[in-house]
Amino acid sequence: ILNVEQSPQSLHVQEGDSTNFTCSFPSSNFYALHWYRWETAKSPEALFVMTLNGDEKKKGRISATLNTKEGYSYLYIKGSQPEDSATYLCAFIRNSGGSNYKLTFGKGTLLTVNP
Amino acid sequence: KAGVTQTPRYLIKTRGQQVTLSCSPISGHRSVSWYQQTPGQGLQFLFEYFSETQRNKGNFPGRFSGRQFSNSRSEMNVSTLELGDSALYLCASSSGARFTETQYFGPGTRLLVL
């Protein structure tokens, strides 16, 4: 059983605050890591696909870093806005041998941004 | 471009029945993946199809099966439904296989098993 842990489970911040969450995953057989944003009653929206150790990606006020050697990724949101309120999910993809790949999601971090 | 579509959006079945869900990917996408979302287990990967071949599979029993057609549309079938199969089923499409490309999710099919 793969453990993909996300912390914190939930977070309440004020509008304008910057925040970050963590996704921890096994450091062996890493293949890729995805970050998603999932708003209530909508479909998950892809934020980043990260494949290389040291990757840093940015999309507007949201950025992510990746450390495959120690098995973690950080997601940062600068200047949070109420519309950033959502569950942020990470998905760890490992090569389980040959051409087999396994994808495991974390339980997510629920972010609530208060105006 | 039209997004990923899933049909039906809602479905009610009884235990023991079977169900088939459909997913139409974004035009030009050849990969379709299926996921199950339940309150207890969160989002779990079912399987991935690319060019009509199942490339990867999650840890679900054989009652869960799928297929992909030459136009990349995919169907998922669940036989002998159990109460625990009640869930939101999502599909996602991408241009490449093996999860190295951005996945675009459909709106989901919510299945209730009574």
Side-chain angles (χ1 to χ4, degrees), chain A residues 2-36:
Chain A
L2 288 177
N3 286 326
V4 179
E5 305 285 346
Q6 289 191 246
S7 62
Q9 278 189 310
S10 64
L11 195 54
H12 289 253
V13 301
Q14 288 300 122
E15 183 175 352
D17 288 350
S18 292
T19 187
N20 65 85
F21 336 123
T22 305
C23 173
S24 301
F25 49 86
S27 55
S28 59
N29 301 322
F30 175 89
Y31 188 72
L33 187 96
H34 295 191
W35 279 101
Y36 294 93

Side-chain angles (χ1 to χ4, degrees), chain A residues 21-91:
Chain A
F21 336 123
T22 305
C23 173
S24 301
F25 49 86
S27 55
S28 59
N29 301 322
F30 175 89
Y31 188 72
L33 187 96
H34 295 191
W35 279 101
Y36 294 93
R37 180 172 174 274
W38 197 355
E39 287 182 75
T40 305
K42 293 188 177 181
S43 306
E45 174 197 355
L47 290 173
F48 304 113
V49 175
M50 309 181 83
T51 56
L52 298 175
N53 184 43
D55 250 357
E56 290 188 27
K57 300 231 172 172
K58 190 167 187 237
K59 187 177 181 178
R61 294 179 292 99
I62 305 177
S63 60
T65 61
L66 178 67
N67 184 322
T68 61
K69 294 187 187 310
E70 295 182 40
Y72 65 83
S73 176
Y74 293 140
L75 188 80
Y76 301 91
I77 302 179
K78 186 177 175 183
S80 302
Q81 300 295 310
E83 56 265 30
D84 295 330
S85 297
T87 295
Y88 291 83
L89 284 171
C90 67

Side-chain angles (χ1 to χ4, degrees), chain A residues 31-32 34 36 38 42-46 49 51 89 93 99-107, chain B residues 35 37 40-45 55-57 59 88 90 98-103 105-107:
Chain A
Y31 188 72
H34 295 191
Y36 294 93
W38 197 355
K42 293 188 177 181
S43 306
E45 174 197 355
V49 175
T51 56
L89 284 171
I93 298 100
S99 58
N100 294 315
Y101 298 83
K102 297 294 184 188
L103 184 152
T104 305
F105 283 93
K107 298 289 189 195
Chain B
Y35 303 89
Q37 163 78 1
Q41 298 297 321
L43 196 53
Q44 293 183 281
F45 169 65
R55 294 294 182 97
N56 294 288
K57 191 175 188 306
N59 298 324
L88 176 68
L90 292 163
R98 298 179 186 166
F99 313 112
T100 55
E101 304 291 334
T102 298
Q103 291 200 83
F105 281 82

